[in-house]
Amino acid sequence: MPGIPEKKSILDDLAGRGLRLTSQRRAIVETIQDAQGHLDAATLLKLAQKREPRVNRATVYRTLDLLKRLRLIDELDLMHLEGEKHFYETRSKSGHFHLACLSCKKILEHDTPTFARLKQEVSDETGFSIDVVRLEVGGQCPACRNLSGGNSPLKDREVL
Amino acid sequence: MPGIPEKKSILDDLAGRGLRLTSQRRAIVETIQDAQGHLDAATLLKLAQKREPRVNRATVYRTLDLLKRLRLIDELDLMHLEGEKHFYETRSKSGHFHLACLSCKKILEHDTPTFARLKQEVSDETGFSIDVVRLEVGGQCPACRNLSGGNSPLKDREVL
DNA sequence: CTGCTGTTGCAACTGATTCGCAAATAGATA
DNA sequence: TATCTATTTGCGAATCAGTTGCAACAGCAG
Ligand SMILES: [Mn+2]
Ligand SMILES: [Mn+2]
Ligand SMILES: [Zn+2]
Ligand SMILES: [Zn+2]
């Protein structure tokens, strides 16, 4: 196993394809890689501008699109809990999927061997060559579940 | 098993909750139920207006939101192959998931017992009470796979 | 039939993302 | 290092999906 060369991997990949390493791309990519959670485009712009003020919103979207097409990042909907924006995370930490609590809006990451098996089965059964798999679950986290009383799920009051 | 009362189930559900069965809701709900494939809001509006011209775009969105919250329909992203719009289908035909061919943009529905097992596992392992599960796969369908030559996946030309 | 209250149409508005084009610049080349 | 050129960017306007406030409308209980 290498030391910690993981850090520059996306930029290396871009360079390897003959793409230009502009200061903007560096700032955007490094921001995504250093981010703890899931970033939306607006947040990514703000954070990237701390590293390189000359980053424009359009460039963020163009770079996200590029990284998506190169399969270096994954796009998440996270059940669109607030608005229609999307979120992004690096592929390296991939394999997991996301649970969104519809009450407290927290996002939980999870994985289980059955998920990998499912992908394999889908590939085998359908003949698809799979590029992206997005599994998202919406529900109520254990904390919110207790908090909202132990009665029946989905009382009218809560949903209407 | 009942005869074919399935048809009115959504409207019955709405009525049972004391919600009003307006001509607009009828048109929208029946359009969704009769639809073969996956409808986006704009298409749904157009089709619903054939049954009842007095259907407005806002009402379509409000009704979709209502049906979503009541868990009577599911919202799909279908990998946002074109634009950022969403698609809808009735819950009754639920249980399956969707494969989107990134080349020909066809949508394939699929299911496998492992999918049900996965949901159960997720529920057990995380303690979440699950309301919605969305599994979407992006890739290349068998037809497009052959068509694009048997060489390595993702040539630069195709992605840049 | 009447009245109350939930629903709707309208048209303006928002938020997210995309676009065309001229200016800037990374990286190859001399 | 200076030059060249295709790629990338900034800008600001445009598009697209979805939302909203409010007055008019219309289910449906009584
Ligand atoms: Mn994640
Ligand atoms: Mn989406
Ligand atoms: Zn919660
Ligand atoms: Zn295809």
Side-chain angles (χ1 to χ4, degrees):
Chain A
M1 304 126 191
I4 320 175
E6 195 76 51
K7 183 67 172 304
K8 281 195 157 14
S9 63
I10 289 186
L11 289 172
D12 287 346
D13 195 307
L14 296 181
R17 293 168 184 274
L19 293 164
R20 294 187 184 168
L21 297 189
T22 63
S23 64
Q24 290 89 335
R25 280 184 178 163
R26 256 186 262 273
I28 293 168
V29 166
E30 286 169 3
T31 300
I32 296 179
Q33 287 182 318
D34 291 1
Q36 62 301 353
H38 308 109
L39 297 176
D40 60 73
T43 306
L44 174 55
L45 171 62
K46 217 169 289 179
L47 291 176
Q49 282 177 329
K50 285 186 183 172
R51 298 176 189 246
E52 165 56 90
R54 299 179 306 166
V55 178
N56 186 271
R57 189 160 39 98
T59 301
V60 167
Y61 280 108
R62 287 192 277 238
T63 303
L64 285 172
D65 187 55
L66 176 68
L67 299 178
K68 255 190 292 178
R69 281 181 285 123
L70 294 174
R71 314 266 178 256
L72 296 171
I73 60 172
D74 280 314
E75 185 177 66
L76 314 173
D77 288 283
L78 301 185
M79 303 308 285
H80 291 301
L81 258 38
E82 35 170 356
E84 300 294 303
K85 59 192 164 200
H86 292 108
F87 297 83
Y88 303 88
E89 69 182 6
T90 62
R91 265 269 162 134
S92 56
K93 48 173 110 162
S94 196
H96 64 270
F97 50 92
H98 299 91
L99 310 219
C101 176
L102 303 176
S103 297
C104 69
K105 301 188 186 306
K106 261 189 211 83
I107 303 295
L108 187 70
E109 304 196 321
H110 190 70
D111 194 14
T112 181
T114 305
F115 185 38
R117 170 178 326 173
L118 178 62
K119 295 185 217 170
Q120 185 58 52
E121 274 186 29
V122 170
S123 177
D124 293 345
E125 294 173 9
T126 67
F128 253 67
S129 66
I130 298 179
D131 287 317
V132 195
V133 176
R134 201 148 82 189
L135 172 60
E136 299 192 344
V137 178
Q140 223 175 7
C141 72
C144 290
R145 234 173 134 176
N146 298 331
L147 205 137
S148 67
N151 31 14
S152 66
L154 278 185
K155 294 194 81 139
D156 280 10
R157 260 60 52 79
E158 306 174 39
V159 81
L160 292 183
Chain B
M1 305 129 192
I4 321 176
E6 195 76 50
K7 183 67 173 304
K8 281 197 158 12
S9 64
I10 290 186
L11 289 173
D12 288 345
D13 194 307
L14 294 181
R17 293 168 184 275
L19 294 164
R20 294 187 185 167
L21 297 191
T22 63
S23 64
Q24 290 90 334
R25 279 184 178 162
R26 257 186 262 273
I28 293 168
V29 166
E30 286 169 4
T31 300
I32 295 178
Q33 287 181 320
D34 290 0
Q36 62 301 353
H38 308 109
L39 297 176
D40 60 71
T43 305
L44 174 55
L45 171 62
K46 218 169 288 178
L47 291 176
Q49 283 176 329
K50 286 186 182 172
R51 298 176 187 245
E52 166 55 90
R54 298 179 306 166
V55 178
N56 185 271
R57 188 161 48 99
T59 302
V60 167
Y61 281 110
R62 286 192 276 237
T63 303
L64 285 173
D65 188 54
L66 176 68
L67 299 177
K68 254 190 293 179
R69 281 180 286 122
L70 293 175
R71 314 267 179 254
L72 296 171
I73 60 173
D74 279 313
E75 184 177 66
L76 313 173
D77 288 284
L78 301 185
M79 302 310 283
H80 290 303
L81 292 184
E82 35 170 356
E84 301 294 305
K85 58 191 164 201
H86 292 109
F87 296 84
Y88 302 89
E89 69 183 6
T90 62
R91 266 270 163 132
S92 55
K93 46 174 111 163
S94 195
H96 64 269
F97 51 92
H98 298 90
L99 311 219
C101 176
L102 304 176
S103 296
C104 69
K105 302 187 185 304
K106 259 188 211 86
I107 303 295
L108 187 71
E109 305 195 319
H110 190 72
D111 194 14
T112 181
T114 306
F115 185 38
R117 172 178 324 173
L118 179 62
K119 294 184 217 170
Q120 186 58 53
E121 275 187 30
V122 170
S123 177
D124 294 344
E125 293 173 9
T126 67
F128 254 69
S129 67
I130 298 180
D131 288 316
V132 195
V133 176
R134 202 149 81 188
L135 172 60
E136 300 192 344
V137 178
Q140 223 175 6
C141 73
C144 290
R145 235 173 133 176
N146 299 332
L147 205 136
S148 67
N151 31 14
S152 65
L154 278 185
K155 295 192 81 138
D156 279 10
R157 259 61 50 81
E158 306 174 39
V159 80
L160 292 183

